[in-house]
Amino acid sequence: MGRIISLANQKGGVGKTTTAINLAASLATLGKKVLLVDADPQANASSGLGIDIRTLEFTIYECLIDGVPSTQAIHPTAVDNLFVLPSHIDLVGAEIEMLNMDSREHVMNKLLSPLKSLYDYILIDCSPSLGLITVNALTASDSVIIPVQCEYFALEGISKLLNTIKIIKSKLNPLLEIEGFLLTMYDNRLRLANQVYTEVKKHFQDMVFETAITRNVRLSEAPSHGMPVLLYDAESKGSTNYMDLAKELIVRNKK
């Protein structure tokens, strides 16, 4: 049975989509069958995996709102074993359209539950907000990875997300766990980055992934070429970091 993991942080620019793309590609390269669900209207995870969103007939929007079967919207990618359920700017309006639905917080759960037996991992790239789509993603998930940028305001806003997770756990999804906090954009030459690292470790201890994602130019360039970094530059530091993260995640899930 597959594991559904959301990548969430309502603070933008923390490396959430970069992590979704590259962790998914690394897991697939390690032989896991992976589905990346793009639940962000900006659709960056879709375009970052080479999907031309302008040509799509069906996206996650049609699946959530019109009941289109997910199998009609899922696309293969250039990475073996990696598939994507793409997004579209229309998803912006989905939250309003979902307001009058029965069990509106469980729409994504109904969509993804039948897919759990088909994939080893289903990763959901959430939008940088705590709106209804993100609530849906967390309600459908077994766990959540929280990317934390190694910068001054990093810990600001995490308490808000943790509170949302607590509410979802108590009211909608009692099995939701925190998979781990992932430190991103880490530069060990900077005192501030090391302070943030130490602070997050002190607060969350074993819940912090051992792997930190270091700042890397190749990692930043890869999405503009519509590919994960391991296809763009397999030798780069970014590629190595995400491969290490994928291995760490697999080991954690075996425990």
Short mmCIF file of all heavy atoms in Angstrom, two decimals, residues 58-104:
data_model
loop_
_atom_site.label_atom_id
_atom_site.label_comp_id
_atom_site.label_asym_id
_atom_site.label_seq_id
_atom_site.Cartn_x
_atom_site.Cartn_y
_atom_site.Cartn_z
N PHE A 58 -7.28 17.42 -19.22
CA PHE A 58 -7.71 17.25 -17.84
C PHE A 58 -6.56 17.50 -16.88
O PHE A 58 -5.42 17.11 -17.14
CB PHE A 58 -8.25 15.83 -17.61
CG PHE A 58 -9.43 15.47 -18.47
CD1 PHE A 58 -9.38 14.37 -19.31
CD2 PHE A 58 -10.59 16.23 -18.44
CE1 PHE A 58 -10.47 14.03 -20.11
CE2 PHE A 58 -11.68 15.91 -19.24
CZ PHE A 58 -11.62 14.81 -20.07
N THR A 59 -6.88 18.13 -15.75
CA THR A 59 -5.90 18.37 -14.68
C THR A 59 -6.57 18.01 -13.36
O THR A 59 -7.72 17.55 -13.33
CB THR A 59 -5.48 19.86 -14.64
OG1 THR A 59 -6.63 20.65 -14.26
CG2 THR A 59 -4.95 20.33 -15.98
N ILE A 60 -5.88 18.26 -12.26
CA ILE A 60 -6.46 17.97 -10.95
C ILE A 60 -7.76 18.76 -10.73
O ILE A 60 -8.66 18.31 -10.02
CB ILE A 60 -5.44 18.26 -9.82
CG1 ILE A 60 -5.96 17.71 -8.49
CG2 ILE A 60 -5.07 19.73 -9.75
CD1 ILE A 60 -4.95 17.76 -7.37
N TYR A 61 -7.87 19.91 -11.38
CA TYR A 61 -9.09 20.73 -11.25
C TYR A 61 -10.32 19.95 -11.71
O TYR A 61 -11.32 19.86 -10.99
CB TYR A 61 -8.94 22.03 -12.07
CG TYR A 61 -10.23 22.82 -12.15
CD1 TYR A 61 -10.59 23.68 -11.11
CD2 TYR A 61 -11.08 22.71 -13.24
CE1 TYR A 61 -11.79 24.39 -11.17
CE2 TYR A 61 -12.26 23.42 -13.32
CZ TYR A 61 -12.62 24.26 -12.27
OH TYR A 61 -13.80 24.96 -12.33
N GLU A 62 -10.25 19.37 -12.90
CA GLU A 62 -11.39 18.60 -13.43
C GLU A 62 -11.68 17.36 -12.57
O GLU A 62 -12.83 16.95 -12.41
CB GLU A 62 -11.14 18.16 -14.87
CG GLU A 62 -11.27 19.26 -15.92
CD GLU A 62 -10.07 20.19 -15.99
OE1 GLU A 62 -8.98 19.81 -15.50
OE2 GLU A 62 -10.22 21.32 -16.50
N CYS A 63 -10.62 16.78 -12.00
CA CYS A 63 -10.80 15.61 -11.13
C CYS A 63 -11.56 15.99 -9.86
O CYS A 63 -12.47 15.28 -9.43
CB CYS A 63 -9.45 15.00 -10.76
SG CYS A 63 -8.55 14.35 -12.17
N LEU A 64 -11.17 17.13 -9.26
CA LEU A 64 -11.80 17.55 -8.00
C LEU A 64 -13.20 18.11 -8.20
O LEU A 64 -14.10 17.83 -7.41
CB LEU A 64 -10.93 18.62 -7.31
CG LEU A 64 -9.56 18.18 -6.79
CD1 LEU A 64 -8.77 19.40 -6.31
CD2 LEU A 64 -9.70 17.18 -5.65
N ILE A 65 -13.38 18.88 -9.26
CA ILE A 65 -14.65 19.62 -9.43
C ILE A 65 -15.66 18.87 -10.31
O ILE A 65 -16.86 18.84 -10.01
CB ILE A 65 -14.38 21.03 -10.03
CG1 ILE A 65 -13.40 21.80 -9.14
CG2 ILE A 65 -15.68 21.81 -10.22
CD1 ILE A 65 -13.82 21.99 -7.69
N ASP A 66 -15.19 18.24 -11.38
CA ASP A 66 -16.11 17.59 -12.32
C ASP A 66 -16.16 16.08 -12.17
O ASP A 66 -16.86 15.40 -12.92
CB ASP A 66 -15.72 17.95 -13.77
CG ASP A 66 -15.70 19.45 -14.01
OD1 ASP A 66 -16.51 20.15 -13.37
OD2 ASP A 66 -14.87 19.93 -14.80
N GLY A 67 -15.36 15.55 -11.25
CA GLY A 67 -15.38 14.10 -11.04
C GLY A 67 -14.71 13.30 -12.15
O GLY A 67 -14.98 12.11 -12.32
N VAL A 68 -13.83 13.94 -12.93
CA VAL A 68 -13.09 13.21 -13.98
C VAL A 68 -12.16 12.20 -13.29
O VAL A 68 -11.47 12.54 -12.33
CB VAL A 68 -12.25 14.19 -14.84
CG1 VAL A 68 -11.27 13.45 -15.74
CG2 VAL A 68 -13.17 15.08 -15.67
N PRO A 69 -12.16 10.93 -13.73
CA PRO A 69 -11.28 9.94 -13.09
C PRO A 69 -9.81 10.37 -13.18
O PRO A 69 -9.36 10.86 -14.23
CB PRO A 69 -11.51 8.66 -13.92
CG PRO A 69 -12.80 8.88 -14.62
CD PRO A 69 -12.94 10.36 -14.83
N SER A 70 -9.08 10.19 -12.09
CA SER A 70 -7.68 10.63 -12.04
C SER A 70 -6.84 9.97 -13.13
O SER A 70 -5.90 10.57 -13.63
CB SER A 70 -7.08 10.33 -10.67
OG SER A 70 -7.25 8.96 -10.37
N THR A 71 -7.21 8.74 -13.51
CA THR A 71 -6.44 8.02 -14.53
C THR A 71 -6.42 8.76 -15.87
O THR A 71 -5.48 8.62 -16.65
CB THR A 71 -7.02 6.61 -14.75
OG1 THR A 71 -8.44 6.71 -14.88
CG2 THR A 71 -6.70 5.69 -13.58
N GLN A 72 -7.43 9.59 -16.12
CA GLN A 72 -7.48 10.36 -17.38
C GLN A 72 -6.59 11.60 -17.34
O GLN A 72 -6.33 12.22 -18.37
CB GLN A 72 -8.93 10.77 -17.69
CG GLN A 72 -9.82 9.58 -18.04
CD GLN A 72 -11.18 10.03 -18.54
OE1 GLN A 72 -11.37 11.16 -18.98
NE2 GLN A 72 -12.15 9.14 -18.49
N ALA A 73 -6.16 11.98 -16.13
CA ALA A 73 -5.38 13.22 -16.01
C ALA A 73 -3.91 12.95 -15.69
O ALA A 73 -3.09 13.86 -15.75
CB ALA A 73 -6.00 14.09 -14.91
N ILE A 74 -3.57 11.71 -15.36
CA ILE A 74 -2.18 11.39 -14.97
C ILE A 74 -1.29 11.23 -16.21
O ILE A 74 -1.69 10.59 -17.18
CB ILE A 74 -2.15 10.12 -14.10
CG1 ILE A 74 -2.79 10.41 -12.73
CG2 ILE A 74 -0.72 9.61 -13.90
CD1 ILE A 74 -3.01 9.20 -11.85
N HIS A 75 -0.11 11.82 -16.14
CA HIS A 75 0.84 11.78 -17.27
C HIS A 75 2.17 11.15 -16.84
O HIS A 75 2.64 11.41 -15.74
CB HIS A 75 1.13 13.19 -17.79
CG HIS A 75 -0.05 13.83 -18.45
ND1 HIS A 75 -0.22 13.86 -19.81
CD2 HIS A 75 -1.14 14.43 -17.91
CE1 HIS A 75 -1.36 14.48 -20.09
NE2 HIS A 75 -1.94 14.82 -18.97
N PRO A 76 2.81 10.40 -17.74
CA PRO A 76 4.17 9.92 -17.45
C PRO A 76 5.15 11.09 -17.60
O PRO A 76 4.82 12.13 -18.17
CB PRO A 76 4.42 8.86 -18.54
CG PRO A 76 3.51 9.26 -19.66
CD PRO A 76 2.32 9.95 -19.05
N THR A 77 6.35 10.93 -17.07
CA THR A 77 7.39 11.97 -17.20
C THR A 77 8.63 11.35 -17.84
O THR A 77 8.64 10.15 -18.14
CB THR A 77 7.77 12.55 -15.82
OG1 THR A 77 8.46 11.52 -15.09
CG2 THR A 77 6.55 13.00 -15.04
N ALA A 78 9.67 12.15 -17.99
CA ALA A 78 10.92 11.66 -18.58
C ALA A 78 11.67 10.72 -17.63
O ALA A 78 12.64 10.08 -18.03
CB ALA A 78 11.81 12.84 -18.95
N VAL A 79 11.22 10.66 -16.37
CA VAL A 79 11.86 9.76 -15.39
C VAL A 79 11.03 8.48 -15.30
O VAL A 79 9.82 8.54 -15.06
CB VAL A 79 11.93 10.43 -14.00
CG1 VAL A 79 12.59 9.50 -12.98
CG2 VAL A 79 12.68 11.76 -14.07
N ASP A 80 11.65 7.34 -15.49
CA ASP A 80 10.95 6.06 -15.34
C ASP A 80 10.34 5.97 -13.95
O ASP A 80 10.96 6.38 -12.97
CB ASP A 80 11.93 4.88 -15.51
CG ASP A 80 12.31 4.68 -16.98
OD1 ASP A 80 11.65 5.27 -17.85
OD2 ASP A 80 13.30 3.96 -17.23
N ASN A 81 9.13 5.42 -13.87
CA ASN A 81 8.43 5.21 -12.59
C ASN A 81 7.83 6.48 -11.99
O ASN A 81 7.23 6.42 -10.92
CB ASN A 81 9.35 4.61 -11.50
CG ASN A 81 9.75 3.19 -11.79
OD1 ASN A 81 8.96 2.44 -12.35
ND2 ASN A 81 10.96 2.81 -11.41
N LEU A 82 8.03 7.63 -12.65
CA LEU A 82 7.49 8.89 -12.10
C LEU A 82 6.34 9.41 -12.97
O LEU A 82 6.51 9.60 -14.18
CB LEU A 82 8.59 9.95 -11.99
CG LEU A 82 8.15 11.34 -11.50
CD1 LEU A 82 7.45 11.28 -10.16
CD2 LEU A 82 9.34 12.29 -11.43
N PHE A 83 5.21 9.64 -12.34
CA PHE A 83 4.01 10.13 -13.02
C PHE A 83 3.54 11.41 -12.32
O PHE A 83 3.85 11.63 -11.15
CB PHE A 83 2.90 9.07 -12.97
CG PHE A 83 3.30 7.78 -13.64
CD1 PHE A 83 4.07 6.85 -12.96
CD2 PHE A 83 2.94 7.52 -14.95
CE1 PHE A 83 4.48 5.66 -13.57
CE2 PHE A 83 3.34 6.35 -15.58
CZ PHE A 83 4.11 5.42 -14.88
N VAL A 84 2.79 12.22 -13.05
CA VAL A 84 2.32 13.49 -12.46
C VAL A 84 0.84 13.69 -12.74
O VAL A 84 0.35 13.39 -13.84
CB VAL A 84 3.18 14.68 -12.97
CG1 VAL A 84 3.07 14.88 -14.46
CG2 VAL A 84 2.83 15.97 -12.25
N LEU A 85 0.14 14.15 -11.71
CA LEU A 85 -1.24 14.61 -11.86
C LEU A 85 -1.14 16.13 -11.87
O LEU A 85 -0.95 16.76 -10.83
CB LEU A 85 -2.11 14.11 -10.69
CG LEU A 85 -3.57 14.57 -10.63
CD1 LEU A 85 -4.31 14.30 -11.94
CD2 LEU A 85 -4.29 13.91 -9.47
N PRO A 86 -1.20 16.75 -13.07
CA PRO A 86 -0.84 18.17 -13.19
C PRO A 86 -1.90 19.13 -12.66
O PRO A 86 -3.06 18.76 -12.43
CB PRO A 86 -0.64 18.35 -14.70
CG PRO A 86 -1.43 17.26 -15.34
CD PRO A 86 -1.55 16.14 -14.36
N SER A 87 -1.47 20.37 -12.51
CA SER A 87 -2.35 21.43 -12.02
C SER A 87 -2.62 22.43 -13.15
O SER A 87 -2.12 22.29 -14.27
CB SER A 87 -1.71 22.12 -10.83
OG SER A 87 -2.59 23.08 -10.30
N HIS A 88 -3.41 23.44 -12.82
CA HIS A 88 -3.77 24.48 -13.79
C HIS A 88 -4.19 25.70 -12.99
O HIS A 88 -4.66 25.58 -11.85
CB HIS A 88 -4.94 23.98 -14.66
CG HIS A 88 -5.19 24.84 -15.86
ND1 HIS A 88 -6.02 25.93 -15.81
CD2 HIS A 88 -4.71 24.78 -17.13
CE1 HIS A 88 -6.05 26.51 -17.01
NE2 HIS A 88 -5.26 25.84 -17.83
N ILE A 89 -4.08 26.89 -13.59
CA ILE A 89 -4.46 28.13 -12.90
C ILE A 89 -5.94 28.10 -12.48
O ILE A 89 -6.35 28.76 -11.52
CB ILE A 89 -4.15 29.36 -13.81
CG1 ILE A 89 -4.30 30.68 -13.04
CG2 ILE A 89 -5.02 29.37 -15.06
CD1 ILE A 89 -3.30 30.88 -11.94
N ASP A 90 -6.76 27.28 -13.16
CA ASP A 90 -8.18 27.15 -12.79
C ASP A 90 -8.36 26.71 -11.35
O ASP A 90 -9.41 26.94 -10.74
CB ASP A 90 -8.89 26.11 -13.69
CG ASP A 90 -9.08 26.60 -15.12
OD1 ASP A 90 -8.83 27.81 -15.35
OD2 ASP A 90 -9.46 25.80 -15.99
N LEU A 91 -7.35 26.05 -10.81
CA LEU A 91 -7.44 25.54 -9.44
C LEU A 91 -7.67 26.66 -8.43
O LEU A 91 -8.18 26.42 -7.34
CB LEU A 91 -6.17 24.75 -9.09
CG LEU A 91 -6.22 23.80 -7.90
CD1 LEU A 91 -7.28 22.72 -8.07
CD2 LEU A 91 -4.86 23.16 -7.64
N VAL A 92 -7.33 27.89 -8.81
CA VAL A 92 -7.56 29.05 -7.94
C VAL A 92 -9.04 29.13 -7.56
O VAL A 92 -9.39 29.42 -6.41
CB VAL A 92 -7.13 30.37 -8.66
CG1 VAL A 92 -7.64 31.58 -7.91
CG2 VAL A 92 -5.62 30.43 -8.77
N GLY A 93 -9.91 28.86 -8.55
CA GLY A 93 -11.36 28.96 -8.29
C GLY A 93 -11.96 27.74 -7.63
O GLY A 93 -13.12 27.77 -7.18
N ALA A 94 -11.18 26.67 -7.53
CA ALA A 94 -11.72 25.41 -7.02
C ALA A 94 -12.18 25.52 -5.57
O ALA A 94 -13.19 24.93 -5.17
CB ALA A 94 -10.68 24.30 -7.16
N GLU A 95 -11.46 26.31 -4.78
CA GLU A 95 -11.81 26.41 -3.36
C GLU A 95 -13.22 26.96 -3.19
O GLU A 95 -13.99 26.46 -2.36
CB GLU A 95 -10.80 27.30 -2.63
CG GLU A 95 -9.38 26.76 -2.71
CD GLU A 95 -8.51 27.14 -1.52
OE1 GLU A 95 -8.91 28.03 -0.75
OE2 GLU A 95 -7.44 26.53 -1.37
N ILE A 96 -13.58 27.95 -3.99
CA ILE A 96 -14.92 28.53 -3.90
C ILE A 96 -15.95 27.52 -4.38
O ILE A 96 -17.01 27.35 -3.77
CB ILE A 96 -15.00 29.84 -4.74
CG1 ILE A 96 -14.05 30.87 -4.14
CG2 ILE A 96 -16.41 30.38 -4.79
CD1 ILE A 96 -13.68 32.01 -5.02
N GLU A 97 -15.63 26.81 -5.48
CA GLU A 97 -16.56 25.82 -6.01
C GLU A 97 -16.77 24.63 -5.07
O GLU A 97 -17.82 23.99 -5.09
CB GLU A 97 -16.08 25.32 -7.38
CG GLU A 97 -16.09 26.43 -8.44
CD GLU A 97 -15.52 25.95 -9.77
OE1 GLU A 97 -16.18 25.12 -10.40
OE2 GLU A 97 -14.44 26.42 -10.14
N MET A 98 -15.78 24.36 -4.24
CA MET A 98 -15.86 23.22 -3.33
C MET A 98 -16.64 23.54 -2.05
O MET A 98 -17.02 22.63 -1.31
CB MET A 98 -14.45 22.73 -2.96
CG MET A 98 -13.76 22.00 -4.10
SD MET A 98 -11.98 21.83 -3.83
CE MET A 98 -11.92 20.56 -2.61
N LEU A 99 -16.84 24.84 -1.79
CA LEU A 99 -17.47 25.24 -0.53
C LEU A 99 -18.82 24.58 -0.30
O LEU A 99 -19.18 24.26 0.83
CB LEU A 99 -17.61 26.77 -0.47
CG LEU A 99 -16.34 27.55 -0.18
CD1 LEU A 99 -16.58 29.04 -0.25
CD2 LEU A 99 -15.76 27.17 1.18
N ASN A 100 -19.61 24.39 -1.37
CA ASN A 100 -20.95 23.82 -1.21
C ASN A 100 -21.01 22.31 -1.38
O ASN A 100 -22.07 21.71 -1.35
CB ASN A 100 -21.92 24.48 -2.22
CG ASN A 100 -22.03 25.97 -1.98
OD1 ASN A 100 -22.07 26.41 -0.84
ND2 ASN A 100 -22.04 26.75 -3.05
N MET A 101 -19.84 21.69 -1.56
CA MET A 101 -19.82 20.22 -1.72
C MET A 101 -20.01 19.52 -0.38
O MET A 101 -19.59 20.03 0.66
CB MET A 101 -18.48 19.78 -2.32
CG MET A 101 -18.29 20.12 -3.77
SD MET A 101 -16.71 19.41 -4.32
CE MET A 101 -16.72 19.85 -6.05
N ASP A 102 -20.60 18.33 -0.43
CA ASP A 102 -20.68 17.49 0.77
C ASP A 102 -19.26 17.03 1.11
O ASP A 102 -18.48 16.71 0.21
CB ASP A 102 -21.56 16.25 0.52
CG ASP A 102 -23.01 16.65 0.29
OD1 ASP A 102 -23.39 17.74 0.76
OD2 ASP A 102 -23.74 15.88 -0.35
N SER A 103 -18.96 16.95 2.39
CA SER A 103 -17.63 16.50 2.84
C SER A 103 -16.53 17.19 2.04
O SER A 103 -15.63 16.55 1.50
CB SER A 103 -17.48 14.99 2.68
OG SER A 103 -18.49 14.31 3.34
N ARG A 104 -16.59 18.51 1.97
CA ARG A 104 -15.68 19.26 1.09
C ARG A 104 -14.21 19.07 1.44
O ARG A 104 -13.35 19.22 0.59
CB ARG A 104 -16.05 20.75 1.11
CG ARG A 104 -15.90 21.38 2.47
CD ARG A 104 -16.47 22.77 2.52
NE ARG A 104 -16.29 23.34 3.85
CZ ARG A 104 -16.96 24.40 4.28
NH1 ARG A 104 -17.83 25.00 3.51
NH2 ARG A 104 -16.74 24.88 5.49
#
